[in-house]
Amino acid sequence: MTNGWDATPYVELSRAQWSELRKNTPLTLTEDELEELRGIDDPIDLTEVTDIYLPLTRLLNLHFTGAKQRSAALNTFLGTSQRPTPYILGIAGSVAVGKSTTARLLHTLLARWPEHPRVDLVTTDSFLYPNKILAERDITHRKGFPESYDRRALVRFVADVKAGLPKVSAPVYSHLEYDIVPGVTQTVCRPDILIVEGLNVLQPAPPTALAVNDYFDFSIYVDAKIEHIRDWYLDRFHKLRRTAFEDPKSYFKYLADLSDDEATAFARNVWRDVNERNLVENIAPTRGRAGLVLHKGADHSVRRVRLRRA
């Protein structure tokens, strides 16, 4: 841990230093449950959960409690008795960096704390424009870039949850069909905690508007070197070719029929022209807006943690 105050708003902790902050937080997850939560290319194990995610859930529990106390103080000041507003956690990072596994894991672990048993998870994929609209706007090739999302609908959804509305609905995205599912919604009903996970959740707002992260109580950025994320992306791509892409209903069925060399060339081009470009231009520049940064090594394990101290 760094000593004193320096030019950065973050305190940086090694894996060992961070792990010590777990204190007495119990492990409430089994190996079988973890197997269901991990991503297709994420080798996370219970040691990683113990060393990294148990201290993180302790921090978030303390932060949640502090937010609840601030809400009670405001009620006292106003002479009201409104229920505390939902606590909203944002999780950002590149394609293939493991942010979805982080989100699913925190969703499960946080719900096992007695102070906040109702935890919901929404991904910003649900707020991508349907493929038809992307095609009409000639931005199909920029799917995942900020302009491919219905940002107004996303901000409105999070604002309504934060306002404590009884029921708030979001669209549903199908990775199999690579599109929004018509007529299907996910309903959120006054959760204790809402997790919002996506590539661009830390993007600043355009002038005169609000961004989705303006409603966050805390935010996490999952980080790694670009070359490591590229390798993870390529590994995941080939695993998907042998699994999900072979489904006749898959949008990417045609990729399962390519030779390995053809498929690798395709994946490298997509990484270079879409995912790496989006990471460098839009995602990575938002890292400094996060309350906490989890930095991964080449083996996908978190090697150091940067926590914003103010």
Side-chain angles (χ1 to χ4, degrees):
M1 186 182 300
T2 57
N3 294 318
W5 292 87
D6 52 30
T8 174
Y10 288 93
V11 58
E12 185 160 325
L13 301 103
S14 68
R15 181 186 179 96
Q17 290 170 325
W18 177 257
S19 178
E20 290 176 359
L21 299 175
R22 169 194 175 185
K23 301 301 182 184
N24 296 318
T25 306
L27 177 62
T28 58
L29 196 71
T30 67
E31 183 63 51
D32 288 342
E33 290 173 321
L34 180 59
E35 179 64 30
E36 294 181 2
L37 295 171
R38 67 165 57 97
I40 193 170
D41 62 332
D42 195 332
I44 189 171
D45 57 19
L46 287 178
T47 298
E48 185 82 352
V49 174
T50 300
D51 289 350
I52 303 301
Y53 290 94
L54 294 188
L56 180 51
T57 57
R58 176 174 175 254
L59 171 65
L60 291 170
N61 173 262
L62 290 169
H63 207 265
F64 172 89
T65 302
K68 194 172 182 180
Q69 290 171 346
R70 290 193 297 273
S71 178
L74 184 60
N75 276 335
T76 299
F77 174 73
L78 295 174
T80 60
S81 58
Q82 295 182 354
R83 66 168 63 205
T85 58
Y87 182 94
I88 301 184
L89 170 65
I91 301 177
S94 170
V95 166
V97 79
K99 67 184 180 304
S100 295
T101 298
T102 293
R104 290 192 296 268
L105 191 51
L106 289 176
H107 178 216
T108 298
L109 291 173
L110 288 171
R112 293 178 180 179
W113 285 76
E115 295 86 352
H116 35 71
R118 300 189 309 277
V119 182
D120 282 317
L121 168 61
V122 171
T123 73
T124 59
D125 286 346
S126 295
F127 294 90
L128 283 162
Y129 286 115
N131 289 346
K132 180 180 179 181
I133 293 179
L134 295 177
E136 290 172 353
R137 298 184 179 183
D138 195 25
I139 56 172
T140 300
H141 62 293
R142 291 179 65 83
K143 194 169 189 176
F145 283 69
E147 65 269 26
S148 66
Y149 294 89
D150 188 343
R151 285 175 283 184
R152 288 185 179 179
L154 173 58
V155 171
R156 185 166 56 248
F157 168 82
V158 175
D160 286 347
V161 173
K162 193 67 172 174
L165 295 188
K167 293 183 179 181
V168 186
S169 296
V172 171
Y173 183 82
S174 168
H175 287 278
L176 182 68
E177 299 174 20
Y178 196 58
D179 204 355
I180 298 295
V181 182
V184 178
T185 59
Q186 173 186 355
T187 301
V188 173
C189 302
R190 284 182 176 156
D192 298 310
I193 298 175
L194 172 67
I195 300 173
V196 182
E197 175 258 310
L199 299 173
N200 298 296
V201 296
L202 296 179
Q203 281 283 320
T208 73
L210 288 173
V212 63
N213 56 79
D214 288 318
Y215 295 95
F216 291 171
D217 293 279
F218 196 77
S219 58
I220 298 168
Y221 185 95
V222 185
D223 192 29
K225 291 183 178 180
I226 289 179
E227 57 266 30
H228 295 159
I229 305 175
R230 178 199 62 216
D231 292 344
W232 301 336
Y233 172 79
L234 295 174
D235 288 345
R236 186 180 72 174
F237 176 84
H238 283 293
K239 289 176 183 176
L240 287 171
R241 282 185 65 231
R242 298 189 295 269
T243 54
F245 291 176
E246 292 185 343
D247 189 319
K249 297 180 181 179
S250 173
Y251 178 90
F252 294 108
K253 177 65 173 68
Y254 69 98
L255 295 175
D257 300 325
L258 297 179
S259 69
D260 286 346
D261 288 343
E262 290 172 328
T264 297
F266 173 87
R268 286 186 178 277
N269 288 337
V270 171
W271 171 258
R272 182 193 65 231
D273 298 337
V274 180
N275 295 317
E276 183 174 347
R277 184 176 176 185
N278 195 17
L279 172 58
V280 171
E281 293 179 2
N282 300 302
I283 303 168
T286 69
R287 179 174 47 208
R289 302 172 65 86
L292 180 137
V293 179
L294 299 173
H295 186 83
K296 293 185 170 186
D299 63 352
H300 245 299
S301 66
V302 174
R303 288 293 149 207
R304 64 181 188 272
V305 177
R306 299 180 71 215
L307 175 64
R308 183 179 287 276
R309 55 192 171 190

